[in-house]
Amino acid sequence: MNAFPLLSTLIFLPLLGALATVLLSRSPALCRAAALGTALAELLLAACAIPLAADPGTILAENAAWIPSFGIRYALAMDGLSGLLVLMTAFLGVLAVLTSFKEITKRPGAYYAFLLAVETSACGVFLAKDLFLFYLFWEVQLVPMFFLIGVWGHEDRRKAALKFFLFSIAGGMLMLLAVIGAWLAQPEGARTFSLAALMAAPAAPHVQNWLFAAFFLAFAVKMPIVPVHTWLPDAHTQAPTAGSVILAGVLLKTGAYGLIRLAFPLFPDAAALSVPLLFVLGLAGLYHASLCALAQTDAKRLVAYSSVAHMALIVIGVAAWNAVSLSGAMLQMINHALTTGGLFIMIGMLSRRSGSRELASFGGVWKRSPVLGAFFLFFCMASAGLPGLNNFVSELLTLVGTWTGHPGVAAAAFAGAVLTLTYVLKLAQGTLFGTPAATQPEQWPDAEPLELCVLSPLAASILYLGFAPQAVLDMLRGPVSDFLPRIPQLFQ
Amino acid sequence: MQANLSLLLALPLFGALVLALLGRRLSRPMVERLACAAIIAAFIAALTALAGAWGETRLVPLFPWFSAGGFSASMDVLYDPLSGIMAVMVTFVSAIIHIHSVGYMRGDESYARYFCYLNLFVFFMLVITLADNLAFLFLGWEGVGFCSYALIGFWFADAERTLAGRKAFVMTRIGDVGFLIAMALFFATLGTLSLSGIIASVSALSVGTATALGLLLLWAAVGKSAQLPLLVWLPDAMAGPTPVSALIHAATMVTAGVYLLMRLFPVLALSQAALAAVGAVGAVTALFASFSALGQRDIKRILAWSTISQVGYMFLGIAAGDLCGGMFHLLAHAFFKSLLFMGAGCVIQALHEEHDIFRMGSRVRTAMPPVFLLFFLGALALAAVPPASGYFSKGRILYATLSHGGGLFTLYWAMGSLAAILTALYTFRLVFVAFFGDPAFPPKTWDIEPLPRFMIHVLWPLGALALLAGGLNLPGNFSGAEWLSHALRTVPGADAEFHGVSELAVSLADAGFCAVGLFLAWMLYGPRTAPGRRGPADPERFAHRMLRSGFGLDALYRKTVLTPFLALSGFMRRVVDEGAVDAAFMSQGVLWARTSMAARRLATGRTSTYLLTFLLGLAAICAVLLAKGA
């Protein structure tokens, strides 16, 4: 146990900042300052935690009794995977605050409070080591996101927010039943919500099947996995830019994280049985979402579908369950956040200029703003998996790893690389090239200093993870070797 | 050595980075000098590396890239005579093209972007050349694909051009799937992606695996090198600036596929089936493309089809087990084809963007004698007129193919020889029509714009090499030393000897084929032929339509692949995603809403209703309990 409650601070610091922004809501400038200050402090704190999380010698954990009568504890821990995801959350949090400066004028106090509250809930999900605590943070995520979309979204925001809420709550309710089920499945007197204890003594196989199904459904909705993905395009399209960034970069990751951290290790027998289903869903999702992305005319919707396709690779990598594929899948969680986040931010910047998200309203962006154009092409290429940029590393690892056990699945997924390129190039073609659409306004400034502050660190991190991902992979080695043997059926 | 190789790779990358970040702030001469200096310095580094490690094979680690769970990709350099010579060629041709580009792009606003991409391209090409690890090689492989995409669509305001770039990128990506799967298969079978590691343990591969790997690598090579069936992107790639066509779509990138097959030849060599497939692709493509070249009127498209055809010969050389011949032709082709493209670029620019050879004529020759002479030298080499370089390099491949023996390779030889006749024919059709006689159609303008002299004169080294590069590997019966064969003998798989047929006889036959082609060209398109008969064939005639459209392959793909694919995409979006999946969930929502409306009717507020339902419920519970008890 460490003297300073670093993990709790990481979780609750943004909530404190949220409180501050609410109190300061009279002055928009102060709100922004408070939000940015909190987000930066959180990033600094997360960066400080990373060396500790990376070092296998130190155990970064907190554990306190909470509701003893049900065996519920306030237990947190940070390993390499949690640490990276928290860092990523904090990083995107800063970018999300920065992108909102120009975009959000309505009730900034409440807005930044909700934005920071998402950070709290996501960090809680990534750090919880108690199933009940995990569930709590999991469900809490919904609330701030619901308001971010429903209040600060675009024209069809209410419907999109409701759809998001209903899909998520349906998944969450089943998970609650399964959480209770997992608790009841233990022998009386020794019942606990401790993840470590639950993993050490998995339930009987036929019970596992039901519990796994419920957990999986909740995570599948969040990731999302086709066919329970249809809330996502609407939510993304309607959300404000920062909302999309947080949604794609952070919230979706909680689903993938849950799959890896909870669903598989808690219910190993059921997980082993589900592998063929996961492959089918992963491949179907990859192809379905890629084809749908290609048919979109709304730039943001196109990126939303591309996001579903990229997440499908994580499903495949997890199902293959070996060291290479799992490292790739975990790394893909981070890479996807950066590339998709970058694309959403850029579309936000461009549509603020053109007044529309339709591809037809862009065109000739490079001519009008070459710096923005170059950044956009850069993010597009990262999304297309160009080697030297981040996504390539994780996708190659995921699929090469998958190949060793399941060559057919991997080959089909490799072929999906062509589809990825087609929709990415459609996006680039529609926005950057050709002649500017007639509807574009006279005023079309190139990248402003604030925008460069957002784009440059994103691009730098994409390049860094493309050329020197080893530090991150080293951090993931511990979690990978910890998870793998938990499912002996899949791991030889 | 490590410093030298790091410099070789770092210089072009550095140039590209500086231009990308600061290009818009630097003055134009500064940008041009920086870009050219980076490549010239890289050329010097490549030369000193070659001199310093002559004949040796070295594995030089640069830095580790990533590894996880037994999979490892590192940025290491495999430096042997093959990569050393290739690196010298790439940097040499690139340096000339950079200098030429300074002249060619003199009127273009986006020079910084242009030179940035050009430097970046050289970097990626050198990565392909030098990489030891297949994942690192793939970095260059995809990188050149990206640069090609960006440069074909360089004039992006014209949507046609960017679409041509997109087509090139997607078609080559289709090939890249083969590369990716091959990487996975190498990792699964040999546990390594290092070229040197693969070649050291190649005997552990079964024939079946080797065949699969060979075919996958062939598929990758076919995409990058624009061979059948993935060749349709290259003719359209001519939308880019002409020096780009010279660099990327003639001299270097399109030979990357050939180079990959040469690097992994020991794997191919395990499988006769794979080699036969490589040969079939090469021979059929060489013939197919030389027919198509005959039907073109655009000077760049003629050259594009001829590139496809010549790269086919290189594939054929590899299939015959003649790495050295393949490399010989690769080098000679790099010199004469980049020369031809840049010569064509001079013509096009001087004639105010005129591409149609039937609107050129003798005025071009009289106005620009040096350009004509340079172009003529390149044409001699392309048509394989002895003693130009192409004669020896192509001859070597045909000789190797024939002496390989077997009915299949004899057939390949016959196809290659027929293609050689056609090559001489279309090359001199181009020379005669574009530089002699009166134009068949009136030009849009008779004015000829003077060009900066340096952009012409910088081509002379290439002209000399087009003529003399045969000396690199002059065969024994021409009392040559076979320098290249000697230099490459330590490269795995490059030590093949050929016997069985007389090399002299094959050489004489080649000269004969060339003469037949030249004679046909003279008769059909020569300066003495009546102007009316020299004109292009009737565009409506079936045969001409077939040749001009590359046997309609592009249209076929559009009809059978692209259109259904786009239709499927629309179907998935509208019918499956929105119409079925989403609608199912949304209608569930409606169902719940309706159910709750129905249930609301029960909440009438009347005590009698509540009592009734209470009694009903009680009765039901009792019934269940009774049933259980019984």
Coordinates of all heavy atoms in Angstrom, one line a residue, chain B residues 118-186:
Chain B
L118 N 9.0 13.8 -52.9 CA 10.0 13.1 -53.6 C 11.1 12.6 -52.7 O 11.6 11.5 -52.9 CB 10.6 14.1 -54.7 CG 10.8 13.6 -56.1 CD1 9.6 13.0 -56.6 CD2 11.3 14.8 -57.0
N119 N 11.6 13.4 -51.8 CA 12.6 13.0 -50.8 C 12.1 11.8 -50.0 O 12.8 10.8 -49.7 CB 13.0 14.1 -49.9 CG 14.1 14.9 -50.4 OD1 14.7 14.6 -51.4 ND2 14.5 16.0 -49.7
L120 N 10.8 12.0 -49.6 CA 10.2 10.9 -48.7 C 10.2 9.6 -49.5 O 10.5 8.5 -49.0 CB 8.8 11.3 -48.3 CG 8.2 10.5 -47.2 CD1 8.9 10.6 -46.0 CD2 6.7 10.9 -47.0
F121 N 9.8 9.7 -50.8 CA 9.8 8.5 -51.7 C 11.1 7.9 -51.7 O 11.2 6.6 -51.6 CB 9.3 8.9 -53.1 CG 9.5 7.8 -54.0 CD1 8.5 6.8 -54.0 CD2 10.6 7.6 -54.8 CE1 8.7 5.7 -54.8 CE2 10.8 6.5 -55.6 CZ 9.8 5.5 -55.6
V122 N 12.2 8.6 -51.9 CA 13.5 8.0 -52.0 C 13.9 7.3 -50.7 O 14.4 6.2 -50.7 CB 14.6 9.1 -52.3 CG1 16.0 8.5 -52.3 CG2 14.3 9.7 -53.6
F123 N 13.5 7.9 -49.5 CA 13.7 7.3 -48.3 C 13.0 5.9 -48.2 O 13.6 4.9 -47.9 CB 13.2 8.1 -47.1 CG 13.0 7.4 -45.8 CD1 14.2 7.0 -45.1 CD2 11.8 7.1 -45.3 CE1 14.0 6.3 -43.9 CE2 11.6 6.4 -44.1 CZ 12.8 6.0 -43.4
F124 N 11.7 5.9 -48.6 CA 11.0 4.6 -48.5 C 11.6 3.6 -49.5 O 11.6 2.4 -49.2 CB 9.5 4.9 -48.8 CG 8.8 5.5 -47.6 CD1 8.0 6.6 -47.8 CD2 8.9 4.9 -46.4 CE1 7.3 7.1 -46.8 CE2 8.2 5.5 -45.3 CZ 7.4 6.6 -45.5
M125 N 12.0 4.1 -50.6 CA 12.5 3.1 -51.6 C 13.8 2.5 -51.1 O 14.1 1.3 -51.3 CB 12.8 3.9 -52.9 CG 13.1 3.0 -54.1 SD 11.7 2.0 -54.6 CE 12.5 0.5 -55.2
L126 N 14.6 3.3 -50.4 CA 15.9 2.8 -49.8 C 15.6 1.8 -48.7 O 16.3 0.9 -48.5 CB 16.7 4.0 -49.3 CG 17.4 4.8 -50.4 CD1 18.1 6.0 -49.9 CD2 18.4 3.9 -51.2
V127 N 14.4 2.1 -48.0 CA 14.1 1.1 -47.0 C 13.8 -0.2 -47.6 O 14.2 -1.3 -47.1 CB 12.8 1.6 -46.2 CG1 12.2 0.5 -45.3 CG2 13.2 2.8 -45.3
I128 N 13.0 -0.2 -48.7 CA 12.7 -1.5 -49.4 C 14.1 -2.1 -49.8 O 14.3 -3.4 -49.6 CB 11.9 -1.2 -50.7 CG1 10.5 -0.7 -50.3 CG2 11.8 -2.5 -51.5 CD1 9.7 -0.5 -51.5
T129 N 15.0 -1.3 -50.3 CA 16.2 -1.9 -50.8 C 17.1 -2.5 -49.7 O 17.7 -3.5 -49.9 CB 17.0 -0.7 -51.5 OG1 16.2 -0.1 -52.4 CG2 18.3 -1.2 -52.1
L130 N 17.1 -1.8 -48.6 CA 18.1 -2.2 -47.5 C 17.5 -3.1 -46.4 O 18.3 -3.7 -45.7 CB 18.7 -0.9 -46.9 CG 19.5 -0.1 -47.9 CD1 19.9 1.2 -47.3 CD2 20.8 -0.8 -48.4
A131 N 16.2 -3.1 -46.3 CA 15.6 -3.8 -45.1 C 16.0 -5.2 -45.0 O 16.0 -6.0 -46.0 CB 14.1 -3.6 -45.1
D132 N 16.3 -5.7 -43.8 CA 16.5 -7.1 -43.5 C 15.2 -7.7 -43.0 O 14.9 -8.9 -43.4 CB 17.6 -7.3 -42.5 CG 17.7 -8.8 -42.1 OD1 18.0 -9.6 -43.0 OD2 17.5 -9.1 -40.9
N133 N 14.4 -7.0 -42.3 CA 13.2 -7.5 -41.7 C 12.0 -7.2 -42.6 O 11.9 -6.1 -43.1 CB 13.0 -6.8 -40.3 CG 11.9 -7.5 -39.5 OD1 10.7 -7.5 -39.9 ND2 12.3 -8.2 -38.5
L134 N 11.2 -8.2 -42.8 CA 10.1 -8.0 -43.8 C 9.1 -6.9 -43.3 O 8.6 -6.2 -44.2 CB 9.3 -9.3 -44.0 CG 10.0 -10.3 -45.0 CD1 9.2 -11.6 -45.0 CD2 10.0 -9.7 -46.4
A135 N 8.9 -6.8 -42.0 CA 8.0 -5.7 -41.6 C 8.6 -4.3 -41.9 O 7.9 -3.4 -42.3 CB 7.8 -5.9 -40.1
F136 N 10.0 -4.3 -41.7 CA 10.6 -3.0 -42.1 C 10.5 -2.8 -43.6 O 10.3 -1.6 -44.0 CB 12.1 -3.1 -41.6 CG 12.9 -1.9 -41.8 CD1 12.3 -0.6 -41.6 CD2 14.3 -1.9 -42.0 CE1 13.1 0.6 -41.8 CE2 15.0 -0.8 -42.2 CZ 14.5 0.5 -42.0
L137 N 10.7 -3.8 -44.3 CA 10.6 -3.7 -45.8 C 9.2 -3.2 -46.1 O 9.0 -2.4 -47.0 CB 10.9 -5.1 -46.4 CG 11.3 -5.1 -47.9 CD1 12.1 -6.3 -48.2 CD2 10.1 -5.0 -48.8
F138 N 8.2 -3.7 -45.4 CA 6.8 -3.4 -45.7 C 6.6 -1.9 -45.4 O 5.8 -1.2 -46.0 CB 5.9 -4.2 -44.8 CG 4.5 -4.1 -45.2 CD1 4.0 -4.7 -46.4 CD2 3.5 -3.5 -44.4 CE1 2.7 -4.6 -46.8 CE2 2.2 -3.4 -44.8 CZ 1.8 -4.0 -46.0
L139 N 7.4 -1.3 -44.4 CA 7.3 0.1 -44.2 C 7.6 0.9 -45.4 O 6.9 1.8 -45.8 CB 8.3 0.5 -43.0 CG 8.6 1.9 -42.8 CD1 7.4 2.6 -42.1 CD2 9.8 2.1 -42.0
G140 N 8.7 0.5 -46.1 CA 9.1 1.1 -47.3 C 8.1 0.8 -48.4 O 7.7 1.7 -49.2
W141 N 7.6 -0.4 -48.4 CA 6.7 -0.9 -49.5 C 5.4 -0.1 -49.5 O 4.9 0.4 -50.5 CB 6.4 -2.4 -49.1 CG 5.6 -3.2 -50.1 CD1 4.3 -3.3 -50.1 CD2 6.1 -3.9 -51.2 NE1 3.9 -4.2 -51.1 CE2 5.0 -4.5 -51.8 CE3 7.4 -4.2 -51.8 CZ2 5.1 -5.4 -52.9 CZ3 7.5 -5.0 -52.9 CH2 6.3 -5.6 -53.4
E142 N 4.8 0.1 -48.3 CA 3.6 0.9 -48.2 C 3.9 2.4 -48.3 O 3.1 3.2 -48.8 CB 2.9 0.7 -46.9 CG 2.2 -0.7 -46.8 CD 0.8 -0.6 -47.4 OE1 -0.1 -0.1 -46.9 OE2 0.7 -1.2 -48.5
G143 N 5.1 2.8 -47.9 CA 5.5 4.2 -47.9 C 5.6 4.6 -49.4 O 5.1 5.7 -49.7
V144 N 6.2 3.8 -50.2 CA 6.3 4.3 -51.6 C 4.9 4.3 -52.2 O 4.6 5.1 -53.1 CB 7.2 3.4 -52.5 CG1 8.7 3.5 -52.0 CG2 6.8 1.9 -52.5
G145 N 4.0 3.4 -51.8 CA 2.7 3.4 -52.2 C 2.0 4.7 -51.9 O 1.3 5.3 -52.7
F146 N 2.2 5.1 -50.7 CA 1.6 6.4 -50.2 C 2.2 7.6 -51.1 O 1.4 8.4 -51.6 CB 1.8 6.7 -48.8 CG 1.6 8.1 -48.4 CD1 0.3 8.6 -48.3 CD2 2.6 9.0 -48.1 CE1 0.0 9.9 -48.0 CE2 2.4 10.3 -47.8 CZ 1.1 10.7 -47.7
C147 N 3.5 7.6 -51.2 CA 4.1 8.7 -52.0 C 3.6 8.7 -53.4 O 3.3 9.8 -54.0 CB 5.6 8.6 -52.0 SG 6.3 8.9 -50.4
S148 N 3.4 7.5 -54.0 CA 2.9 7.4 -55.3 C 1.5 8.0 -55.4 O 1.2 8.7 -56.3 CB 2.9 5.9 -55.7 OG 2.2 5.7 -56.8
Y149 N 0.7 7.6 -54.4 CA -0.7 8.1 -54.3 C -0.7 9.7 -54.3 O -1.4 10.3 -55.0 CB -1.3 7.6 -53.1 CG -2.6 8.3 -52.5 CD1 -3.8 8.2 -53.2 CD2 -2.5 9.0 -51.4 CE1 -4.9 8.9 -52.7 CE2 -3.6 9.7 -50.9 CZ -4.8 9.6 -51.6 OH -5.9 10.3 -51.1
A150 N 0.2 10.2 -53.4 CA 0.2 11.6 -53.2 C 0.8 12.3 -54.5 O 0.4 13.5 -54.8 CB 1.1 12.0 -52.0
L151 N 1.7 11.7 -55.2 CA 2.3 12.4 -56.3 C 1.5 12.2 -57.6 O 1.5 13.1 -58.5 CB 3.7 11.9 -56.5 CG 4.7 12.5 -55.5 CD1 6.0 11.7 -55.5 CD2 4.9 14.0 -55.8
I152 N 0.8 11.1 -57.7 CA -0.1 10.9 -58.9 C -1.2 12.0 -58.8 O -1.5 12.6 -59.8 CB -0.7 9.5 -59.0 CG1 0.3 8.4 -59.2 CG2 -1.8 9.5 -60.1 CD1 -0.2 7.0 -59.1
G153 N -1.7 12.2 -57.6 CA -2.7 13.2 -57.4 C -2.1 14.5 -57.0 O -2.8 15.3 -56.3
F154 N -0.9 14.8 -57.4 CA -0.2 16.0 -57.0 C -1.0 17.2 -57.3 O -1.2 18.1 -56.5 CB 1.2 16.1 -57.6 CG 1.9 17.3 -57.1 CD1 2.5 17.4 -55.9 CD2 2.1 18.4 -58.0 CE1 3.1 18.5 -55.4 CE2 2.8 19.5 -57.6 CZ 3.3 19.6 -56.3
W155 N -1.5 17.3 -58.5 CA -2.4 18.4 -58.9 C -3.8 18.1 -58.5 O -4.6 17.7 -59.3 CB -2.2 18.7 -60.4 CG -0.9 19.2 -60.7 CD1 -0.3 20.3 -60.2 CD2 0.0 18.7 -61.7 NE1 0.9 20.5 -60.7 CE2 1.2 19.6 -61.7 CE3 0.0 17.7 -62.6 CZ2 2.3 19.4 -62.5 CZ3 1.1 17.5 -63.4 CH2 2.3 18.3 -63.4
F156 N -4.1 18.3 -57.2 CA -5.3 17.7 -56.6 C -6.5 18.5 -56.9 O -7.6 18.0 -56.7 CB -5.1 17.6 -55.1 CG -4.9 18.9 -54.4 CD1 -5.9 19.8 -54.2 CD2 -3.6 19.3 -54.0 CE1 -5.6 21.0 -53.6 CE2 -3.3 20.5 -53.4 CZ -4.4 21.4 -53.2
A157 N -6.4 19.7 -57.5 CA -7.6 20.4 -57.8 C -8.4 19.7 -58.9 O -9.6 19.8 -59.1 CB -7.3 21.8 -58.3
D158 N -7.6 18.8 -59.7 CA -8.2 18.0 -60.8 C -8.6 16.7 -60.2 O -7.8 15.9 -59.9 CB -7.2 17.9 -61.9 CG -7.8 17.1 -63.1 OD1 -8.9 16.6 -62.9 OD2 -7.1 17.1 -64.1
A159 N -9.9 16.5 -60.0 CA -10.4 15.2 -59.3 C -9.9 14.0 -60.1 O -9.7 13.0 -59.4 CB -11.9 15.3 -59.1
E160 N -9.9 14.1 -61.4 CA -9.4 12.9 -62.2 C -8.1 12.4 -61.7 O -7.8 11.2 -61.6 CB -9.3 13.3 -63.7 CG -10.6 13.4 -64.4 CD -11.3 12.0 -64.5 OE1 -10.6 11.1 -64.9 OE2 -12.5 11.9 -64.1
R161 N -7.2 13.3 -61.5 CA -5.8 12.9 -61.1 C -5.8 12.3 -59.7 O -5.1 11.3 -59.5 CB -4.9 14.2 -61.1 CG -4.7 14.8 -62.5 CD -3.8 16.0 -62.4 NE -3.9 16.8 -63.6 CZ -3.1 16.7 -64.7 NH1 -2.2 15.7 -64.7 NH2 -3.3 17.5 -65.7
T162 N -6.5 12.9 -58.8 CA -6.5 12.3 -57.4 C -7.2 10.9 -57.5 O -6.8 10.0 -56.7 CB -7.2 13.2 -56.4 OG1 -8.5 13.6 -56.9 CG2 -6.4 14.4 -56.1
L163 N -8.2 10.7 -58.3 CA -8.8 9.4 -58.4 C -7.9 8.4 -59.0 O -7.9 7.3 -58.6 CB -10.1 9.5 -59.3 CG -11.2 10.3 -58.7 CD1 -12.4 10.4 -59.6 CD2 -11.7 9.6 -57.4
A164 N -7.0 8.9 -59.9 CA -6.0 7.9 -60.5 C -5.0 7.5 -59.3 O -4.6 6.4 -59.2 CB -5.2 8.6 -61.6
G165 N -4.7 8.5 -58.5 CA -3.8 8.2 -57.4 C -4.5 7.2 -56.4 O -3.9 6.2 -56.0
R166 N -5.8 7.4 -56.2 CA -6.5 6.5 -55.3 C -6.6 5.1 -55.9 O -6.4 4.1 -55.2 CB -7.9 7.1 -55.1 CG -8.8 6.3 -54.2 CD -10.0 7.0 -53.8 NE -11.1 6.8 -54.7 CZ -12.3 7.3 -54.4 NH1 -12.5 8.1 -53.4 NH2 -13.3 7.0 -55.2
K167 N -6.8 5.0 -57.2 CA -6.8 3.7 -57.8 C -5.5 3.0 -57.6 O -5.5 1.8 -57.3 CB -7.1 3.9 -59.3 CG -7.2 2.7 -60.1 CD -7.6 3.1 -61.5 CE -7.6 2.0 -62.5 NZ -8.0 2.4 -63.8
A168 N -4.4 3.7 -57.8 CA -3.1 3.1 -57.7 C -2.9 2.6 -56.3 O -2.4 1.5 -56.1 CB -2.0 4.1 -58.0
F169 N -3.3 3.4 -55.3 CA -3.1 3.0 -53.9 C -3.9 1.8 -53.6 O -3.5 0.8 -53.0 CB -3.5 4.2 -53.0 CG -2.8 4.2 -51.7 CD1 -3.1 5.3 -50.8 CD2 -1.9 3.3 -51.3 CE1 -2.5 5.4 -49.6 CE2 -1.3 3.4 -50.1 CZ -1.6 4.4 -49.2
V170 N -5.2 1.8 -54.0 CA -6.1 0.6 -53.7 C -5.6 -0.6 -54.4 O -5.6 -1.7 -53.8 CB -7.5 1.0 -54.0 CG1 -8.4 -0.3 -53.8 CG2 -8.0 2.1 -53.1
M171 N -5.3 -0.5 -55.7 CA -4.8 -1.7 -56.4 C -3.6 -2.3 -55.8 O -3.4 -3.5 -55.7 CB -4.5 -1.4 -57.9 CG -5.7 -1.0 -58.7 SD -7.0 -2.3 -58.9 CE -6.2 -3.5 -59.9
T172 N -2.6 -1.4 -55.4 CA -1.4 -2.0 -54.8 C -1.7 -2.6 -53.4 O -1.1 -3.5 -53.0 CB -0.3 -1.0 -54.7 OG1 -0.8 0.2 -54.2 CG2 0.3 -0.6 -56.1
R173 N -2.7 -2.0 -52.7 CA -3.0 -2.5 -51.4 C -3.7 -3.9 -51.6 O -3.5 -4.8 -50.7 CB -4.0 -1.5 -50.7 CG -4.5 -1.9 -49.3 CD -3.5 -2.1 -48.3 NE -2.9 -0.9 -47.6 CZ -3.4 -0.5 -46.4 NH1 -4.4 -1.0 -45.9 NH2 -2.9 0.6 -45.9
I174 N -4.4 -4.1 -52.7 CA -4.9 -5.5 -52.9 C -3.8 -6.5 -53.0 O -3.8 -7.5 -52.4 CB -5.7 -5.5 -54.2 CG1 -7.0 -4.7 -54.0 CG2 -6.1 -6.9 -54.6 CD1 -7.8 -4.5 -55.3
G175 N -2.7 -6.0 -53.6 CA -1.5 -6.9 -53.7 C -0.9 -7.0 -52.3 O -0.4 -8.1 -51.9
D176 N -0.9 -6.0 -51.5 CA -0.2 -6.0 -50.2 C -0.8 -7.0 -49.3 O -0.2 -7.4 -48.3 CB -0.3 -4.6 -49.6 CG 0.5 -3.6 -50.4 OD1 1.3 -4.0 -51.2 OD2 0.3 -2.4 -50.2
V177 N -2.1 -7.4 -49.5 CA -2.7 -8.4 -48.6 C -1.8 -9.7 -48.7 O -1.6 -10.3 -47.7 CB -4.1 -8.7 -49.1 CG1 -4.7 -9.8 -48.3 CG2 -5.0 -7.4 -48.8
G178 N -1.3 -10.0 -49.9 CA -0.5 -11.1 -50.1 C 0.8 -11.0 -49.2 O 1.3 -11.9 -48.6
F179 N 1.3 -9.8 -49.2 CA 2.5 -9.5 -48.4 C 2.3 -9.7 -46.9 O 3.0 -10.4 -46.2 CB 3.0 -8.1 -48.7 CG 4.4 -7.8 -48.3 CD1 5.3 -7.2 -49.2 CD2 4.9 -8.0 -47.0 CE1 6.6 -6.9 -48.8 CE2 6.2 -7.7 -46.6 CZ 7.0 -7.2 -47.5
L180 N 1.1 -9.2 -46.5 CA 0.8 -9.3 -45.0 C 0.6 -10.8 -44.6 O 1.1 -11.2 -43.6 CB -0.5 -8.5 -44.7 CG -0.3 -7.0 -44.8 CD1 -1.7 -6.3 -44.8 CD2 0.4 -6.5 -43.5
I181 N -0.1 -11.5 -45.5 CA -0.3 -12.9 -45.2 C 1.0 -13.7 -45.2 O 1.2 -14.5 -44.4 CB -1.4 -13.5 -46.1 CG1 -2.7 -12.8 -45.9 CG2 -1.6 -15.0 -45.8 CD1 -3.9 -13.3 -46.8
A182 N 1.8 -13.3 -46.2 CA 3.1 -14.0 -46.3 C 3.9 -13.7 -45.0 O 4.6 -14.7 -44.5 CB 3.9 -13.5 -47.5
M183 N 3.8 -12.5 -44.5 CA 4.6 -12.3 -43.2 C 4.0 -13.2 -42.1 O 4.8 -13.7 -41.3 CB 4.4 -10.8 -42.8 CG 5.3 -9.8 -43.5 SD 5.5 -8.3 -42.6 CE 4.2 -7.3 -43.3
A184 N 2.7 -13.3 -42.0 CA 2.1 -14.1 -40.9 C 2.6 -15.6 -41.1 O 2.9 -16.2 -40.2 CB 0.6 -14.0 -41.0
L185 N 2.6 -16.0 -42.4 CA 3.0 -17.4 -42.6 C 4.5 -17.6 -42.3 O 4.9 -18.7 -41.8 CB 2.7 -17.7 -44.1 CG 2.8 -19.2 -44.5 CD1 2.0 -20.1 -43.6 CD2 2.2 -19.4 -45.9
F186 N 5.3 -16.7 -42.7 CA 6.7 -16.8 -42.3 C 6.9 -16.9 -40.8 O 7.7 -17.7 -40.3 CB 7.5 -15.6 -42.9 CG 8.0 -15.7 -44.3 CD1 7.7 -14.8 -45.2 CD2 8.9 -16.8 -44.6 CE1 8.2 -14.9 -46.5 CE2 9.3 -17.0 -45.9 CZ 9.0 -16.0 -46.9

